[in-house]
Amino acid sequence: MPKILLVDDDTELCGLLDQYLRGQGFEVQAAHTGPAGLEAALAPGIDLVVLDVMLPGLDGLEVLRRLRAQSHVPVLMLTARGEEVDRIVGLEIGADDYLPKPFNPRELVARIRAILRRGEVAATPRPRLRIHGVELDPGARTVTRDGVPVELTTLEFDILEQLMRSAGRVLSRDQIMDALYERPATPFDRSIDMHISHLRRKLDAAGSGDRQLIKTIRSVGYVFTREAGE
């Protein structure tokens, strides 16, 4: 039974979600301040954190920032509707997904299950990949370029693995979104584009060449370039 940690200062909402999530087969724990949420998230046994941005003591973004320095536990951010900056910052510092408030509990459960399934896939043994000096090890969840370690968020790693396994073939934003989130991209959801931009910057910073590894195919999607002769 997966254990979900709710970090939200709205105790009434937490109570309702506790009841709903337990009915969906989850174990639930709640914390109502930033410091308490951080402490609970770092404790053993938590499978996923649902983290509100607006929290007393420490805001959710600071909780996430400190959590990511010590843990890779999946995090789903709850943001105020229309607060795109919070969503972007949350994804930049390592949130696995976000959901604007108010939300339908069924949508929350769908997002939680998609994240957990992605974690199960990540645990499946897969061969290492090496293209253009970029080496990706799915087992260790590490990436290097020309021997230089490249620090990636969970989503950046998963996107890079998708692109490298499909090297030479264009993947659309919908294909990437469906693989990661089990839903298509919306016209207003630019998270994939943002992650691709961060990937390029991090890979470029680690590499010695000027080759463009991830190309944008206008109005279609993205492609990781093949090596010559492949």
Side-chain angles (χ1 to χ4, degrees):
M1 185 180 293
K3 187 171 185 178
I4 309 301
L5 172 65
L6 303 175
V7 186
D8 196 309
D9 63 344
D10 186 335
T11 55
E12 182 178 357
L13 175 63
C14 284
L16 292 171
L17 290 178
D18 182 298
Q19 183 177 7
Y20 187 81
L21 291 171
R22 289 182 188 277
Q24 297 296 313
F26 297 100
E27 185 179 349
V28 182
Q29 178 180 341
H32 305 299
T33 69
L38 178 60
E39 181 179 2
L42 289 171
I46 300 297
D47 294 295
L48 183 141
V49 180
V50 177
L51 178 63
D52 190 27
V53 170
M54 301 300 293
L55 290 168
L58 289 174
D59 68 41
L61 296 175
E62 183 58 29
V63 170
L64 177 60
R65 191 174 286 110
R66 298 187 188 190
L67 181 61
R68 279 292 168 261
Q70 304 177 62
S71 171
H72 293 291
V73 64
V75 173
L76 191 158
M77 295 289 298
L78 299 179
T79 65
R81 188 171 298 278
E83 290 299 325
E84 186 176 1
V85 171
D86 287 343
R87 299 173 201 169
I88 291 173
V89 173
L91 291 169
E92 284 180 338
I93 59 181
D96 293 83
D97 200 359
Y98 64 84
L99 189 60
K101 285 184 170 182
F103 54 84
N104 187 315
R106 293 175 62 185
E107 176 70 9
L108 175 65
V109 169
R111 300 284 182 99
I112 288 172
R113 287 181 171 153
I115 294 171
L116 293 177
R117 278 193 291 269
R118 195 166 74 233
E120 292 171 0
V121 170
T124 304
R126 298 183 303 285
R128 292 187 182 191
L129 299 169
R130 183 176 176 84
I131 307 173
H132 295 311
V134 178
E135 184 167 336
L136 182 147
D137 183 343
R141 302 280 294 180
T142 58
V143 173
T144 60
R145 185 180 186 193
D146 300 329
V148 178
V150 182
E151 294 295 328
L152 301 179
T153 66
T154 300
L155 280 172
E156 289 166 358
F157 183 96
D158 291 340
I159 292 171
L160 180 60
E161 183 176 0
Q162 281 191 70
L163 292 171
M164 290 181 70
R165 291 200 184 281
S166 303
R169 181 165 62 90
V170 179
L171 296 182
S172 69
R173 291 174 71 242
D174 278 349
Q175 287 175 304
I176 297 172
M177 283 289 292
D178 186 61
L180 295 178
Y181 298 107
E182 300 181 9
R183 65 179 187 272
T186 69
F188 305 103
D189 189 345
R190 311 307 296 177
S191 59
I192 295 299
D193 307 307
M194 184 189 71
H195 290 309
I196 295 288
S197 175
H198 293 164
L199 265 175
R200 284 176 173 149
R201 186 179 69 245
K202 291 178 180 182
L203 290 171
D204 287 347
S208 55
D210 57 1
R211 177 187 294 274
Q212 186 179 9
L213 299 177
I214 302 172
K215 292 184 177 180
T216 301
I217 309 302
R218 188 174 179 82
S219 301
V220 181
Y222 299 98
V223 60
F224 196 95
T225 58
R226 286 182 179 273
E227 292 191 1
E230 290 190 345

